[in-house]
Amino acid sequence: MNSGPLRVIIGIVIVAIVVYVVIFVMQRTTTKQVKALQDKKQKLMELDTKLSLVEGKKLSLTGQSLKRFDDLQTEYKQIEKVDFKAFDQRAEDVLFESKGWNVVKAKQSLKNLNALLDQIAGHIVDVRQGIEALQRMDAEHREAVKKLEVEYQTLRKTLLTRNFEFGESIDKLEEMLASLEDDFDEFTHLTEQGDHTAASDIYTQLHTETERLERIIDQIPIVEKQIQTDFPAQIKELEAAFQQLTADGYLFPNKRLATEIAGVETSRVITNNMLRDLAIDDAAANTEVISQQIDNLYAQFQVEMDAKKEVGHTKKQIETFINHARHQNHLLMIELDRIGQRYILTDHEEAKTQEFAQQIKQIETDYRQTVLDIQFGKAIYSQIGEQFEKFEDDLTDVEEKQQDIWEALQGLKDREKDAQKQFEKAAFSVRDIKREVEHWNLPGLPSDYRHLYERIINQIDRLDRALQNSHINMNEVKTQLDSIQADIVTLKHATDRLYYDARFAEQLFQSSNRYRMNDRAISEAYNEALMAYQNHFDFAHAREILGAALEQVEPGIQEKISAQLD
């Protein structure tokens, strides 16, 4: 039997069954989704939106607020009569389409139904929120009416009971309050009529201006007290103080003090006008400037009064200081004359001391003139105080320099004693070196060593004469002594080297005796070295000649001798 056609038939049947099952499942699913949307629509219908509209009618709205409410009511009627019915119709259509074979179309229709219900829900939310906003605005405005009424009564009472604290500003304050009260009446009227949209515009301005008025009322008494009480008293005190100080002989470096005091009064009047016009911020800023001006004027007075006390206290000290510096300079001149008989002074001490005398004389002249200025009422005490301070600084500098010279003079005798000791020490050192060299019994001394020794001896003789002089130049003595001490150090090194070379050569001569009779090279080196040693006293050259020759026959001999000498 041919099984091919049978298989095709079976395949078709299977596909048909699968398609039917899929369509059946989608129909059931679509039916459930539509039912869910219908339930959601029913819940929207059951909301108390209609009740909210009924309550909204009780607000007795007018104007823009009424128009807004009417729009909301119309919008909800549209939802009830049109949108809900449209939804019901589309829901039936979706159910019908789901029973057919066009699955794709049924799915799209379900999607559109869902979007329609979301749109309806959004419109209902808008309506409910709009009603709530109108109800909230109505409550807020009615509460604002009560609150503002109390605030304006309080402000009116404040202006009546404390009008003396506001000075010339009271008229502008009452005008401002009256204007706010007029606006408040309009706001109250619009609120009672239910025109909350128009009332909102007025309320925003009312709120801002009321806060401004309250701030001004709080600030004005403070500024008013400064302008009308504090500043006039301070200005009067400044004027009286200036007159009294001037009468007492005070002068001031600032020649515009009287003008500046008058300027403070002018600034006070300008600030008062600002306050009268309720320009509170500008007026407050001006009071800060005026306070600084007043403080500055007081400070200038105080500087001169303090300076006068200080000048009175310092004047006698300056005179004592001048006399002391002059006496010190006199003693220094006497000491210079005494010391100068023994020592040559090389640091212009006398010229400096004479210059000190001129400085002291000039300071005294300036001081006497300042005292006359005080006596004849020509003194600005702050400037005199600075001048006295400079006198003290200059006199201190003079006395410090006087002391430096005095200490230097007193140190000359000690310097001489120290130089004498060092001179004797140097002379003994040279003598000891000479005796030591003589004990070595050398055939003679190299010319450079001899010249160094003779130079030192000549320097010692010259220094000895300088120290024995009745008029000593200690700077020159120090220079010569430094040179001698440096040359003695050089002489000691040269002596050590001389001893080393001579002894080394002698050891080489002794060692060469073993070889020179049988070794011609050693014999010739011996003779040449002996010539350098005996005739030219060049012990180093003798050591070099003979040492080099002996190294050829006895390697290491020089190192051995060097170790023995060390």
Side-chain angles (χ1 to χ4, degrees):
M1 180 178 178
N2 191 352
S3 60
L6 180 60
R7 289 177 180 176
V8 172
I9 292 171
I10 292 172
I12 292 172
V13 171
I14 292 172
V15 171
I17 292 172
V18 170
V19 170
Y20 175 78
V21 172
V22 169
I23 292 174
F24 177 76
V25 171
M26 290 190 65
Q27 286 175 346
R28 293 292 300 273
T29 301
T30 301
T31 300
K32 288 182 180 180
Q33 290 177 338
V34 170
K35 180 64 171 61
L37 290 175
Q38 288 173 333
D39 292 343
K40 183 177 179 181
K41 174 251 184 180
Q42 186 61 34
K43 289 180 180 180
L44 290 174
M45 292 179 66
E46 293 173 357
L47 291 173
D48 59 351
T49 307
K50 186 174 293 187
L51 180 59
S52 297
L53 290 169
V54 172
E55 292 295 325
K57 289 181 179 180
K58 298 178 181 179
L59 297 177
S60 301
L61 301 175
T62 61
Q64 291 297 321
S65 298
L66 179 59
K67 182 178 182 305
R68 172 59 177 158
F69 179 80
D70 290 341
D71 290 342
L72 293 173
Q73 189 168 255
T74 301
E75 185 175 357
Y76 189 71
K77 288 179 179 180
Q78 172 74 17
I79 293 171
E80 279 187 316
K81 296 179 179 180
V82 178
D83 294 346
F84 281 150
K85 290 182 178 181
F87 174 82
D88 292 339
Q89 183 60 50
R90 288 193 183 184
E92 293 297 329
D93 293 343
V94 172
L95 290 173
F96 178 77
E97 290 174 357
S98 67
K99 295 176 181 179
W101 294 92
N102 195 341
V103 178
V104 175
K105 182 179 179 182
K107 186 177 181 180
Q108 182 61 43
S109 296
L110 179 62
K111 184 177 180 181
N112 292 339
L113 182 65
N114 189 54
L116 175 60
L117 187 60
D118 287 343
Q119 184 180 357
I120 292 172
H123 289 163
I124 292 175
V125 170
D126 291 341
V127 170
R128 293 176 63 83
Q129 289 180 344
I131 295 171
E132 289 173 1
L134 288 172
Q135 291 172 331
R136 186 168 56 252
M137 188 182 299
D138 179 76
E140 289 176 353
H141 285 180
R142 294 184 186 280
E143 181 62 26
V145 168
K146 296 177 183 178
K147 182 179 177 181
L148 288 173
E149 185 174 12
V150 173
E151 287 185 12
Y152 293 145
Q153 288 175 354
T154 302
L155 291 173
R156 175 63 66 184
K157 182 179 179 181
T158 299
L159 294 181
L160 287 173
T161 58
R162 296 170 52 195
N163 60 351
F164 61 91
E165 296 182 30
F166 302 106
E168 298 179 13
S169 305
I170 189 65
D171 292 339
K172 290 287 186 179
L173 289 172
E174 289 180 345
E175 287 179 12
M176 186 175 180
L177 179 57
S179 176
L180 287 175
E181 288 173 336
D182 290 341
D183 291 342
F184 171 70
D185 291 341
E186 178 65 16
F187 171 70
T188 302
H189 174 72
L190 291 173
T191 297
E192 291 173 349
Q193 292 296 317
D195 191 355
H196 297 296
T197 303
S200 291
D201 296 335
I202 297 177
Y203 178 65
T204 300
Q205 182 178 356
L206 264 179
H207 182 71
T208 302
E209 291 299 315
T210 301
E211 284 188 345
R212 177 170 174 266
L213 178 59
E214 289 173 341
R215 181 174 63 86
I216 291 174
I217 288 176
D218 286 341
Q219 292 179 335
I220 281 181
I222 300 172
V223 180
E224 177 72 15
K225 180 177 179 295
Q226 287 182 294
I227 294 173
Q228 299 300 337
T229 304
D230 297 344
F231 290 162
Q234 290 172 331
I235 293 170
K236 184 178 181 180
E237 187 177 49
L238 285 171
E239 291 172 341
F242 180 68
Q243 291 176 1
Q244 184 61 51
L245 290 173
T246 303
D248 291 343
Y250 282 90
L251 297 178
F252 299 91
N254 182 4
K255 305 303 180 184
R256 300 185 68 256
L257 272 177
T259 303
E260 290 181 5
I261 294 172
V264 173
E265 172 59 20
T266 301
S267 297
R268 187 195 71 82
V269 172
I270 292 172
T271 305
N272 184 63
N273 293 338
M274 291 178 178
L275 193 62
R276 182 188 61 201
D277 294 334
L278 305 186
I280 184 64
D281 292 336
D282 293 339
N286 259 27
T287 58
E288 291 292 330
V289 175
I290 292 173
S291 294
Q292 292 175 3
Q293 291 173 337
I294 291 173
D295 290 344
N296 181 54
L297 290 166
Y298 275 123
Q300 292 184 62
F301 292 163
Q302 194 63 47
V303 165
E304 294 306 319
M305 290 188 290
D306 292 344
K308 183 178 181 180
K309 292 178 182 178
E310 185 63 25
V311 166
H313 176 70
T314 309
K315 185 172 67 171
K316 186 63 179 177
Q317 294 180 352
I318 297 294
E319 185 172 356
T320 302
F321 207 162
I322 291 172
N323 292 334
H324 183 267
R326 184 170 54 243
H327 179 65
Q328 289 290 98
N329 217 59
H330 176 68
L331 295 178
L332 184 58
M333 290 294 291
I334 293 174
E335 186 67 7
L336 281 170
D337 182 64
R338 185 183 71 82
I339 296 294
Q341 295 176 16
R342 172 59 178 163
Y343 301 100
I344 297 173
L345 302 177
T346 58
D347 197 24
H348 310 291
E349 290 87 351
E350 291 185 7
K352 290 178 180 179
T353 306
Q354 291 173 356
E355 184 179 342
F356 297 156
Q358 292 298 321
Q359 286 182 261
I360 296 169
K361 182 178 180 180
Q362 184 60 53
I363 291 172
E364 183 176 19
T365 300
D366 295 341
Y367 170 76
R368 299 299 176 196
Q369 182 59 51
T370 301
V371 172
L372 288 175
D373 289 343
I374 294 174
Q375 292 174 350
F376 287 100
K378 298 179 180 179
I380 298 176
Y381 288 105
S382 58
Q383 294 178 354
I384 291 176
E386 293 175 357
Q387 194 171 15
F388 278 6
E389 187 175 344
K390 187 176 185 304
F391 289 162
E392 288 183 323
D393 291 342
D394 291 346
L395 289 169
T396 299
D397 182 63
V398 166
E399 289 206 345
E400 288 175 353
K401 292 177 179 177
Q402 288 173 340
Q403 184 65 25
D404 290 342
I405 293 176
W406 182 274
E407 291 176 356
L409 293 178
Q410 303 312 306
L412 287 173
K413 185 64 178 176
D414 293 336
R415 288 176 63 191
E416 181 186 359
K417 290 179 181 179
D418 184 62
Q420 186 67 42
K421 290 180 181 180
Q422 293 186 52
F423 164 74
E424 292 173 358
K425 182 179 179 182
F428 288 145
S429 295
V430 173
R431 184 196 63 185
D432 291 343
I433 291 173
K434 179 183 178 184
R435 287 178 178 177
E436 183 180 359
V437 172
E438 288 175 347
H439 290 159
W440 295 344
N441 295 319
L442 298 174
L445 296 173
S447 59
D448 55 348
Y449 182 87
R450 220 174 33 251
H451 292 156
L452 175 61
Y453 175 81
E454 290 170 356
R455 184 172 78 235
I456 294 174
I457 291 298
N458 291 333
Q459 287 179 325
I460 289 175
D461 290 341
R462 187 165 63 253
L463 179 57
D464 184 40
R465 290 193 298 272
L467 288 171
Q468 297 304 321
N469 200 327
S470 60
H471 216 197
I472 301 176
N473 185 333
M474 287 306 303
N475 286 344
E476 180 61 30
V477 168
K478 183 180 185 306
T479 300
Q480 292 184 36
L481 189 58
D482 289 345
S483 178
I484 290 172
Q485 291 172 334
D487 283 347
I488 288 176
V489 171
T490 303
L491 179 64
K492 286 181 177 180
H493 290 317
T495 302
D496 292 342
R497 190 66 195 178
L498 180 69
Y499 176 81
Y500 179 82
D501 289 338
R503 294 285 83 84
F504 204 119
E506 290 173 2
Q507 291 289 331
L508 290 172
F509 283 132
Q510 292 178 11
S511 297
S512 67
N513 287 330
R514 299 195 300 271
Y515 306 105
R516 68 188 181 91
M517 299 302 295
N518 301 317
D519 192 317
R520 182 178 178 181
I522 296 295
S523 177
E524 290 177 355
Y526 179 90
N527 292 332
E528 186 179 354
L530 186 62
M531 178 69 68
Y533 186 92
Q534 292 284 2
N535 297 340
H536 302 296
F537 318 122
D538 192 347
F539 309 125
H541 187 52
R543 177 174 66 83
E544 291 172 359
I545 294 172
L546 193 54
L550 285 172
E551 282 290 335
Q552 300 298 319
V553 295
E554 189 178 341
I557 187 172
Q558 294 188 93
E559 185 176 352
K560 180 180 179 181
I561 294 173
S562 177
Q564 292 175 352
L565 293 176
D566 290 342

